[in-house]
Amino acid sequence: MTIANLSRRTLLQAGAALLASTALPTLARAQDAPAGGRLIVAADSEPKNLNPAIVASNGVFFIASKVVEPLAEAAFEGKDGLSPRLATSWEGSADGKSVTFKLREGVKWHDGKPFTSADVAYSALNIWKPLQNLGRLVFANLEAVVTPDATTAVFRFSKPTPFQLIRNALPVVSSVVPKHLYEGTDIATNPANVKLVGTGPFKFTEYKPGEYYRLTKNADYWNKGEPKLDEVIFRVLPDRAGAGAALEAEEIQLAAFSAVPLTDLARISKVPGIKVISKGYEGMTYQLVVEINHRSKELADLKVRQAIAHAIDKKFVVDTIFLGYAAASTGPVPKNAPEFYDSGVPAYDFDVAKANALLDEAGYPKGADGNRFSLKLRPAPYFNETKQFGAYLRQALAAIGIDAQLVNADSAAHQKAVYTDHDFDLAVAPPVFRGDPAISTTILVKSGTPAGVPFSNQGGYANKELDDIISKAAETVDAKARTDLYKQFQKLVATDLPLINVAEWGFITVARDSVLNVSNNPRWAVSNWADTALQS
């Protein structure tokens, strides 16, 4: 067994001794990788809508990104950390009111129709802007897409829109769908949302509910020599423990997104023919946060929020809940986003005595039973780690006299309770940082978001200074000035604590040694796998 391609971040402290004694394998270069074969992959969910142009989420991308392509993908190397896909270049105007994309020539949809700028214009104006969960923010001021020829698309904005934002968002928000299959239909119910038609290296071939998704090689793919694989099968395995057993039995060859539980990694790392890989998730950092309902009299008090922050032992969370496969957070921007990250923000060291003193100062003395007040705590059910942290947080709060009533629910009930009904005091959430604070981070603290929007500020927090910084950054064209605004944003969030950032993590991929070219870009699990291959 080998542990390959370890993350550039310091995520594997607990495995340092093992790493020191483990040789790293040499991965085959893409052009030298063997062709052919069927890759069988664990999938732990079955998205109802597989169209990434509408639902930009990792669960959808995991399958759909092999079929439907964006304008650009994230890259470890390459200008601005991007690699061209359907666009070959992109350039923003000085006034921030237009972005010009040059598109790839000779690309065909899987049904044989030519891909053109009309498809990009249709996708942007009819899907990304009005319908997509993330695109509606990024393209809020998009007013037109001009297509002077088949390989040029000029995006025009009604207000200055930072090119830095558009560029950073491309891998996530720019999945292009065929105009000829969507125009004149009800986009939300179009059959192509399930039986995908794209330009990618694989064609969507078959779906058997509860069993598998089958993708087959696109022989007319625009990048000659790719894909390497003949087929990719996503086998539905909702039980995460089952993925590890299936890998050992060689029934599957790859499990991404920590489908093999962290608690099983030490054991499975000793199995011959299996490799454990932490690289390949840098472009979609998950963040463990404590969401706060500021409608609560107690939680509206900054000293109470500071006390809760001091009561959380981040090192314990990283080492015990994440088994070292995470890092402590300092604020709303993760360390592996160096373009924006600022370490010079207020810190809240683990200090139970200080937490108790702050609560005393706030006017909440302990009663005869040792409690000061009670709160309703809802941990998100999406990951074992969020549920485990909820149980830990209850104990941590008990140590400072806060009685946290733990309320567990399934995904639908949890989302309704927190983001629609506001029936919580504290909630545990795992939002994703997607390369730019404006894409999926500022929404966590900006006021005015309508009820019902998940992973947004539904705690009633309002801070005009913070809102003004967010609004100004949304229209600041100069990249340095915009970056400086987001550094102010981080300081203010860490100072006023509208929420509490605890940890940040990527996922783990476990694969058979026979799988080549794994985790070679920062969003590998949700990229196209065109160069992924199998060693016979």
Side-chain angles (χ1 to χ4, degrees), residues 198-262:
T199 59
F202 296 96
K203 295 182 177 182
F204 189 92
T205 303
E206 187 181 11
Y207 166 50
K208 285 200 172 182
E211 296 185 39
Y212 62 83
Y213 297 87
R214 179 171 171 247
L215 311 182
T216 55
K217 180 176 183 174
N218 175 15
D220 292 324
Y221 188 50
W222 53 261
N223 199 13
K224 301 304 178 187
E226 292 183 341
K228 300 296 183 182
L229 297 166
D230 290 330
E231 286 187 325
V232 180
I233 304 291
F234 290 89
R235 181 179 164 190
V236 178
L237 292 171
D239 178 8
R240 291 194 164 222
L247 272 165
E248 292 182 68
E250 299 189 53
E251 296 172 359
I252 65 173
Q253 296 132 310
L254 188 141
F257 282 112
S258 297
V260 176
L262 298 181

Side-chain angles (χ1 to χ4, degrees), residues 49 125 255 289 320 324 367 416 446 462 515:
N49 186 331
L125 293 172
V289 305
T320 305
K416 183 176 185 295
K446 190 179 188 299
V515 186

